[in-house]
Amino acid sequence: MQFDNKIGSIQQILTATNVGILRRQAILKELNLKKGQTIIDIGCGGGHLVEEISMCVGYMGKAIGVDPSEFQIKTAKERCKNLSNVQFICSNANDINVEINSCDAVTFTQTLEYIDDVDEALCSAKRLQKPMSIFVNVSTLWDFFGFHGPEKKLNDMMHEIYRSQKHRMLPTKLNGKLEKQGYKNIKTLEIPFFITNKDENSFPKYHEILMINAAIKKGVSQDLIQKWQDQLQESEKKGSFAFTVISVLTSAFSK
Ligand SMILES: C[S@@+](CC[C@H](N)C(=O)[O-])C[C@H]1O[C@@H](n2cnc3c(N)ncnc32)[C@H](O)[C@@H]1O
């Protein structure tokens, strides 16, 4: 998936919703940041987490954001324009021009599941870490993501089109991948959400928009899309609507 302009803008709104905020709070708690540290956020998107990290590590520290999308990096730079301890790099996870063994933590949010070669990305990230420094990842269990309410066949079709992530159930495989890279003290924490409405600024509302975009691109008829939307609305009115998403925070220490 390309996170440019339209998709990138909606993704940044999703990150700003309560779901995005609660995920970042969990990441920041796990990172347990100290003044003066250097932290790298790979796949930083619009820079929400980088901004928060920069405040935590203070002017003697450094928050580095990396993303291959020029659109995301441009927006992230704009968000952090008044912060002196921030650096943004437009690059892939496998090709980051940062000194080896220089980071006190490396973090990914909803990024590893989009990367072709996760093992290569983990290996590259680990090289940037100081010994005994923390790795924190948040990824979604995409098989459990979605809306409940519309009729099953139509609903399943809309979800299947949307699940374009390369690694839909990454958290179920990540511990083994981290062990292979030599990480220790691997822990997981589930971050579940169960939402029963989709008001204007909600996480489900913006996923609905992205799902409709994906369906249009795949050539699904306007009639079917409208039917799905109507059924969503109807189920919400009847009180039989739900949106569920389970994210998993995985942390580990480099040797
Ligand atoms: C779902 S967004 C998450 C953005 C941000 N971490 C957040 O939570 O708001 C995924 C991000 O991963 C970036 N990305 C995709 N492929 C990547 C790669 N190979 N290396 C690093 N980042 C990548 C995308 O450009 C996009 O900004």
Side-chain angles (χ1 to χ4, degrees), residues 3 11 15 42-45 67-69 72 91-93 109-111 114-115:
F3 289 89
Q11 182 277 315
T15 289
I42 303 178
C44 65
D67 204 289
S69 155
Q72 298 279 52
S91 147
N92 276 308
T109 310
Q110 299 261 137
T111 294
Y114 294 97
I115 294 182

Side-chain angles (χ1 to χ4, degrees), residues 23-31 107 109 136 138 249:
R23 282 178 185 159
R24 287 201 301 288
Q25 282 176 349
I27 295 168
L28 289 167
K29 187 170 174 221
E30 197 63 28
L31 287 172
T107 185
T109 310
V136 178
V138 168
L249 182 151

Side-chain angles (χ1 to χ4, degrees), residues 150-167:
E151 66 184 67
K152 186 166 169 21
K153 197 169 162 212
L154 177 59
N155 203 35
D156 285 353
M157 182 199 73
M158 291 296 288
H159 283 80
E160 207 41 52
I161 290 170
Y162 190 52
R163 291 191 180 114
S164 64
Q165 303 75 23
K166 293 180 173 124
H167 312 281

Side-chain angles (χ1 to χ4, degrees), residues 39-213:
I39 315 294
I40 185 159
D41 179 19
I42 303 178
C44 65
H48 295 74
L49 182 61
V50 172
E51 181 181 33
E52 289 152 358
I53 289 171
S54 119
M55 309 278 193
C56 295
V57 297
Y59 68 92
M60 298 289 279
K62 192 171 178 186
I64 306 171
V66 175
D67 204 289
S69 155
E70 282 177 18
F71 171 78
Q72 298 279 52
I73 290 291
K74 186 166 166 258
T75 324
K77 280 186 177 166
E78 180 60 27
R79 178 180 316 285
C80 297
K81 65 180 179 214
N82 296 322
L83 299 168
S84 60
N85 60 348
V86 160
Q87 180 189 1
F88 286 106
I89 303 172
C90 194
S91 147
N92 276 308
N94 300 337
D95 191 25
I96 301 171
N97 188 12
V98 165
E99 201 184 322
I100 288 171
N101 292 342
S102 65
C103 296
D104 295 284
V106 60
T107 185
F108 292 84
T109 310
Q110 299 261 137
T111 294
L112 276 178
E113 56 256 62
Y114 294 97
I115 294 182
D116 284 332
D117 191 336
V118 174
D119 297 300
E120 194 186 6
L122 290 176
C123 180
S124 306
K126 187 160 175 274
R127 285 177 47 230
L128 306 179
Q129 291 189 242
K130 292 179 184 173
M132 283 312 294
S133 64
I134 193 165
F135 162 96
V136 178
N137 180 71
V138 168
S139 287
T140 288
L141 294 169
W142 286 98
D143 284 357
F144 299 124
F145 162 97
F147 293 95
H148 305 262
E151 66 184 67
K152 186 166 169 21
K153 197 169 162 212
L154 177 59
N155 203 35
D156 285 353
M157 182 199 73
M158 291 296 288
H159 283 80
E160 207 41 52
I161 290 170
Y162 190 52
R163 291 191 180 114
S164 64
Q165 303 75 23
K166 293 180 173 124
H167 312 281
R168 280 162 47 164
M169 294 293 277
L170 182 67
T172 64
K173 303 200 176 99
L174 190 54
N175 291 19
K177 289 183 179 299
L178 290 169
E179 264 172 37
K180 207 167 100 187
Q181 297 297 333
Y183 279 98
K184 298 285 172 208
N185 303 341
I186 302 166
K187 280 191 317 182
T188 56
L189 171 76
E190 65 282 9
I191 313 175
F193 295 93
F194 181 81
I195 302 170
T196 54
N197 57 52
K198 58 177 179 72
D199 49 63
E200 281 315 305
N201 287 316
S202 66
F203 194 74
K205 180 78 211 165
Y206 285 95
H207 273 296
E208 180 189 5
I209 294 170
L210 287 178
M211 284 175 74
I212 290 167
N213 270 344

